[in-house]
Amino acid sequence: DAGVIQSPRHEVTEMGQEVTLRCKPISGHNSLFWYRQTMMRGLELLIYFNNNVPIDDSGMPEDRFSAKMPNASFSTLKIQPSEPRDSAVYFCASNIGDRGALNTEAFFGQGTRLTVV
Amino acid sequence: GENVEQHPSTLSVQEGDSAVIKCTYSDSASNYFPWYKQELGKRPQLIIDIRSNVGEKKDQRIAVTLNKTAKHFSLHITETQPEDSAVYFCAAGRWDEKLVFGKGTKLTVNP
């Protein structure tokens, strides 16, 4: 398996534009996580899915952020409209954990470095 | 909810010395404590984890200790090498709920 795959690796966009980040989890993994990493706030969990269902989105900062997981092999994180303070590295991670036993090793993708100017 | 504090934020050691990073957590129900290593420009990767039914776990040069009463856990790296230089993150959570990460410790091992 190639691991968790994220695209794009880098994204530069203008304030107000829509940004879509993509993630392909490891096949067979039941849980998918979206994290945001900044120097100031560290690694923050935005949302996680289990069996394609959003379980906890309490970390999503604002209504401008939305995430979907239409099937077991694909998820998107969308920011609309984007703002300069959204600039960060966004990681997707997956693990085999399931409801009732969520916490096992999480495998991270390479991340998407987003810059909003 | 869970709150994780990690110290120090930066740590510089000489090659061959030991390094210790400490974390405290607030939720006494947390029972899973992983440590992740993130090299510059790369993804975080799990290096060791411990569950609350164990007080210590060791894997070659790295070890983690857990004190449930005091609600703190530590990462110990012995005989440090330059390739150990990275940012290390601790995390804590219940086995069936999301993890909360510490802010990270930037470890520099000087040759």
Side-chain angles (χ1 to χ4, degrees):
Chain A
D1 201 319
V4 176
I5 299 173
Q6 290 185 246
S7 64
R9 291 292 308 278
H10 303 274
E11 176 81 30
V12 180
T13 191
E14 290 186 348
M15 182 174 62
Q17 296 297 307
E18 176 180 297
V19 175
T20 300
L21 310 182
R22 297 172 174 80
C23 176
K24 181 181 187 316
I26 293 173
S27 177
H29 281 191
N30 297 311
S31 294
L32 181 141
F33 308 82
W34 281 102
Y35 289 93
R36 178 172 67 178
Q37 185 175 36
T38 61
M39 289 294 294
M40 289 298 295
R41 301 174 70 90
L43 203 57
E44 302 174 276
L45 178 66
L46 301 177
I47 185 172
Y48 79 89
F49 295 83
N50 181 258
N51 292 316
N52 313 338
V53 176
I55 303 301
D56 186 336
D57 64 355
S58 59
M60 295 286 262
E62 302 170 33
D63 291 345
R64 298 184 296 107
F65 285 69
S66 63
K68 294 182 179 179
M69 191 164 185
N71 56 62
S73 59
F74 184 65
S75 177
T76 59
L77 178 68
K78 186 177 293 186
I79 308 172
Q80 165 64 19
S82 57
E83 297 182 4
R85 60 195 168 112
D86 302 331
S87 298
V89 179
Y90 291 81
F91 284 102
C92 174
S94 70
N95 72 13
I96 61 171
D98 213 336
R99 294 304 300 278
L102 179 66
N103 285 317
T104 63
E105 178 176 3
F107 294 83
F108 284 75
Q110 293 275 39
T112 295
R113 181 173 295 278
L114 173 65
T115 303
V116 184
V117 298
Chain B
E2 178 63 274
N3 183 50
V4 177
E5 300 283 341
Q6 183 171 348
H7 300 280
S9 57
T10 61
L11 179 60
S12 182
V13 300
Q14 289 299 122
E15 183 176 358
D17 287 351
S18 295
V20 180
I21 303 170
K22 299 180 180 181
C23 289
T24 60
Y25 61 99
S26 61
D27 186 353
S28 57
S30 285
N31 52 15
Y32 179 63
F33 309 92
W35 286 88
Y36 283 80
K37 175 183 180 182
Q38 186 178 25
E39 296 177 359
L40 188 61
K42 299 198 174 176
R43 74 189 85 188
Q45 291 187 291
L46 182 74
I47 54 171
I48 195 167
D49 58 11
I50 192 168
R51 296 190 185 270
S52 61
N53 57 344
V54 176
E56 184 175 358
K57 185 175 179 180
K58 191 172 182 180
D59 182 3
Q60 299 183 344
R61 296 185 298 107
I62 59 173
V64 58
T65 58
L66 171 65
N67 184 325
K68 289 173 57 180
T69 303
K71 290 189 282 188
H72 67 70
F73 56 113
S74 302
L75 177 71
H76 304 253
I77 306 174
T78 58
E79 300 171 20
T80 54
Q81 301 167 3
E83 51 265 38
D84 295 328
S85 295
V87 178
Y88 292 81
F89 293 93
C90 64
R94 303 183 187 191
W95 62 296
D96 59 346
E97 292 188 3
K98 64 184 180 184
L99 288 174
V100 175
F101 282 82
K103 291 284 194 295
T105 296
K106 183 179 181 181
L107 173 65
T108 303
V109 180
N110 301 300

